[in-house]
Amino acid sequence: MSGHAISRRLMTLAFAASPVLMAIYAAWRYAMGDYVSLFTPLFMVLVLLAALLLHLYRSSSPYLPRMILLLATYLTLLAAIWHPPAISPVWLGLPLAATFLLLPLWAALAIVLLLAPAWWLTPLASASPSWVMGFLITALLLALPRWEHARRRALLRATDPYDDECDAFRLDTLNRHLGSEHQRALVLGRRLAVLAIHLPQLDMAGEQFGHRARRALLDTLCREVQRQRRDDDVLGRASAATFWLVLPDTGESGALLLQERLTRELARQVLVETGQLEAHVAVCRLRQGEGIAPFTARLEQRSRALAAPPERV
């Protein structure tokens, strides 16, 4: 899977906190008697509330509310720079950090480069060379983790491409990734969990409604997983209708929360040919000191149990 993803719960918290913080900033401006620049933060409160609603009700573009939040950050900072009291140039790092956190790497780099000439109209123009160097180093440090993550994913994809039907790794790549995460969990004492996801409608959709309905089911699953997963989580196809979502550094409680969210969101999806999407999701957590072979065996057993038809009474 490609793209930039942050935990939806974390993003909801950020979108909910932003209008509150902006309202506090407007109240501070009012208390300081700075009525001239009061309009900007008050207007931004309404803009940020709109971004929160777009995020909660899932706008057509997942990046639209993020762009609104980012734009509000830039405009508020620029308005603060050109109105007294003067602010410290340190605050110029706020939109820089927000850009790399909210947008994909290449989009963030493009925005930073396009806006680079505008920074010289700000207090950055009179800043010392050491401060300018610190600003550039900050931008580099913000970009490096995302660059490394993109490089590792590109290497995985180059050595073993994604499944032709679904935006997920094939089984051999998935097993290699699971093995490396298992080794990392044992050596570093981290937690590891895997979500097993089975789509019982998948085979029926292909037989009765053709490839188009089958592809719609796969696309819906991958889209919802993309929205719920973290940046380091990896989705792979374990069998024709079963998928594994590897969750590094995740305990049982975190995996159960993700299972609940994913099950709920998938149940809300209604397709034309098959109706309401049906998905069976189960958690398999790595036990302390457990080897990769027994862990994989338990995961496969859990996957077979999800795929087994329910017993008739």
Side-chain angles (χ1 to χ4, degrees), residues 127-199:
S128 63
S130 61
W131 194 95
V132 175
M133 184 61 66
F135 184 85
L136 296 177
I137 291 175
T138 301
L140 180 63
L141 290 176
L142 288 168
L144 277 179
R146 303 283 305 284
W147 181 282
E148 176 62 18
H149 179 73
R151 187 191 67 81
R152 290 175 57 189
R153 296 189 67 85
L155 183 61
L156 269 177
R157 190 164 187 171
T159 55
D160 190 359
Y162 279 0
D163 190 280
D164 294 334
E165 273 195 311
C166 186
D167 189 18
F169 285 116
R170 292 176 180 171
L171 181 59
D172 46 358
T173 302
L174 177 63
N175 284 331
R176 289 201 304 269
H177 181 78
L178 183 60
S180 64
E181 290 298 339
H182 171 269
Q183 191 68 22
R184 188 177 292 111
L186 290 184
V187 172
L188 302 179
R190 295 182 177 178
R191 300 167 297 178
L192 177 64
V194 179
L195 284 189
I197 308 169
H198 178 70
L199 297 180

Side-chain angles (χ1 to χ4, degrees), residues 200 278 280 304-313:
E278 183 181 353
H280 301 158
R304 288 193 295 269
L306 291 178
E311 297 182 0
R312 296 181 179 179
V313 180

Side-chain angles (χ1 to χ4, degrees), residues 11-166:
M11 286 305 305
T12 302
L13 179 61
F15 280 112
S18 57
V20 176
L21 294 175
M22 191 65 70
I24 294 174
Y25 174 67
W28 177 75
R29 286 287 191 180
Y30 179 81
M32 295 290 293
D34 187 14
Y35 305 118
V36 176
S37 60
L38 191 59
F39 171 77
T40 300
L42 288 177
F43 178 72
M44 290 305 164
V45 171
L46 300 178
V47 172
L48 292 172
L49 286 174
L52 174 61
L53 292 176
L54 286 173
H55 172 74
L56 292 177
Y57 292 99
R58 299 185 181 277
S59 63
S60 56
S61 171
Y63 289 112
L64 179 59
R66 297 188 184 192
M67 289 298 298
I68 293 175
L69 177 57
L70 189 61
L71 183 63
T73 304
Y74 274 96
L75 292 178
T76 303
L77 182 66
L78 292 176
I81 287 175
W82 277 299
H83 289 90
I87 66 169
S88 170
V90 173
W91 287 104
L92 292 174
L94 177 62
L96 181 66
T99 301
F100 282 99
L101 287 175
L102 294 173
L103 297 180
L105 176 61
W106 295 112
L109 288 174
I111 288 179
V112 170
L113 291 176
L114 289 174
L115 293 180
W119 290 122
W120 300 106
L121 302 176
T122 68
L124 187 61
S126 59
S128 63
S130 61
W131 194 95
V132 175
M133 184 61 66
F135 184 85
L136 296 177
I137 291 175
T138 301
L140 180 63
L141 290 176
L142 288 168
L144 277 179
R146 303 283 305 284
W147 181 282
E148 176 62 18
H149 179 73
R151 187 191 67 81
R152 290 175 57 189
R153 296 189 67 85
L155 183 61
L156 269 177
R157 190 164 187 171
T159 55
D160 190 359
Y162 279 0
D163 190 280
D164 294 334
E165 273 195 311
C166 186

